[in-house]
Amino acid sequence: MLKGAFVENSAKIALITGASKGIGAKIALTLARDGFDIWLNYRSDDKAASEVKTQVEAVGRACSLLKFDVADATQTTKVLQPLIDGGNIPFAVINNAGFRKDNLLVWLTSEEWKSVIDVNLDGFFNVVKAVLPYMLKRRSGRIINIASASAHIGVGGQTNYSAAKAGLVGATRALAAEVAKRNILVNAISPGFIETDILDGLPLQEIIKNIPLGRLGKTEDIAEMASFLCSDKAAYITGQAIQINGGIC
Ligand code: NAP
């Protein structure tokens, strides 16, 4: 039984996971600029999340901080369910929370394999499971999954991350087919190398030599695509994985 009684005429809500910093924070600020109220999920960095909240509020939108680990289904439901039962159903869900733990497969531990799959792939499942029944009932919504270039090309040392992100792209296509009739559009964005903390420790000067546009991407390069995919302009786009990577192929 679905309890959510929909609140009409309120601002649309965008739930963005992993939005205390990096790409997720920029998506939160960009969607706030577009008129969305923000549900800002993060895992640990209270200070960074509060700073993003202040910036969202500065453009006149509401921002709720939702601290939970997307890999933990129980925690995810515990935080989201009361909000949804209160009648607030996000129009857009951006599954962005992610991290990498690189190692060559021959040395990769089970923990390194599992933890990366848990956050990058199970995190999508846990969050979407909580919200989708209500989106289906409302017959509208957007789901955007932040995958990676590693879903499409082989990057040594990232079998765990590539498997998770390629799984996310597959799930995007399958879910898009399942929910299209209810006017819910599901797409993935696959970033290349974007300037955020996640690149710490990588040989960036070497990497840049192999990017045709000759530079790293910026968080706004990804956030503006998320903004477009959440807009009416993208009403006929679903089941796609859009690569934004400076020309890497
Ligand atoms: P980032 O700067 O390291 O930020 C990661 C964010 O995810 C933080 O807000 C972090 O929260 C949150 N997070 C991590 N694990 C979480 C969990 N279990 N539950 C909830 N939140 C969690 O990373 P980013 O570069 O912005 O990456 C964002 C997404 O883009 C990821 O999915 C990443 O795989 C993907 N991506 C990034 C690049 C790139 O070059 N930057 C390229 C391809 C794909 P706390 O810090 O508060 O713990």
Side-chain angles (χ1 to χ4, degrees):
M1 176 79 172
L2 303 181
K3 283 196 259 167
F6 305 128
V7 176
E8 296 295 344
N9 300 322
S10 54
K12 282 183 174 173
I13 296 165
L15 163 60
I16 303 131
T17 68
S20 61
K21 53 178 67 97
I23 292 169
K26 184 60 83 175
I27 292 174
L29 294 174
T30 305
L31 293 183
R33 175 204 68 190
D34 292 349
F36 284 88
D37 286 341
I38 303 299
W39 286 3
L40 191 159
N41 159 259
Y42 66 108
R43 180 167 55 179
S44 60
D45 195 336
D46 300 316
K47 185 166 177 283
S50 295
E51 282 165 13
V52 181
K53 176 179 163 74
T54 302
Q55 292 174 57
V56 167
E57 289 170 348
V59 299
R61 305 280 19 131
C63 182
S64 307
L65 295 183
L66 310 180
K67 184 176 182 177
F68 61 86
D69 180 347
V70 297
D72 183 329
T74 309
Q75 243 187 58
T76 302
T77 310
K78 197 172 163 193
V79 173
L80 291 179
Q81 199 62 52
L83 296 171
I84 291 170
D85 286 344
N88 297 304
I89 318 298
F91 172 77
V93 174
I94 322 295
N95 293 294
N96 167 79
F99 82 120
R100 34 174 281 269
K101 230 180 231 182
D102 297 353
N103 206 344
L104 297 176
L105 185 83
V106 72
W107 292 312
L108 196 72
T109 65
S110 299
E111 191 280 329
E112 287 168 334
W113 173 266
K114 193 168 180 317
S115 59
V116 168
I117 304 276
D118 282 351
V119 175
N120 291 281
L121 186 55
D122 290 22
F124 148 83
F125 176 77
N126 295 334
V127 171
V128 170
K129 277 291 278 185
V131 179
L132 186 64
Y134 303 89
M135 275 188 174
L136 287 168
K137 193 175 168 199
R138 191 188 50 201
R139 293 176 176 267
S140 67
R142 304 286 164 94
I143 296 171
I144 299 172
N145 300 319
I146 306 300
S148 168
S150 298
H152 308 273
I153 55 175
V155 180
Q158 292 199 333
T159 51
N160 50 356
Y161 187 71
S162 295
K165 294 301 196 181
L168 197 51
V169 169
T172 298
R173 295 199 173 110
L175 183 60
E178 287 181 15
V179 299
K181 283 198 169 60
R182 296 291 181 105
N183 194 29
I184 299 166
L185 310 184
V186 188
N187 291 289
I189 300 174
S190 292
F193 293 93
I194 310 297
E195 279 173 9
T196 72
D197 294 354
I198 210 171
L199 299 186
D200 288 355
L202 292 180
L204 296 182
Q205 290 317 315
E206 284 308 305
I207 285 169
I208 288 171
K209 286 181 196 161
N210 294 313
I211 301 175
L213 283 179
R215 67 168 176 88
L216 300 175
K218 298 182 185 310
T219 53
E220 51 264 42
D221 295 325
I222 308 306
E224 290 300 342
M225 178 55 69
S227 160
F228 172 70
L229 289 173
C230 288
S231 75
D232 291 343
K233 294 175 190 162
Y236 199 55
I237 302 175
T238 195
Q240 306 305 306
I242 296 160
Q243 301 197 49
I244 302 178
N245 59 26
I248 302 168
C249 50

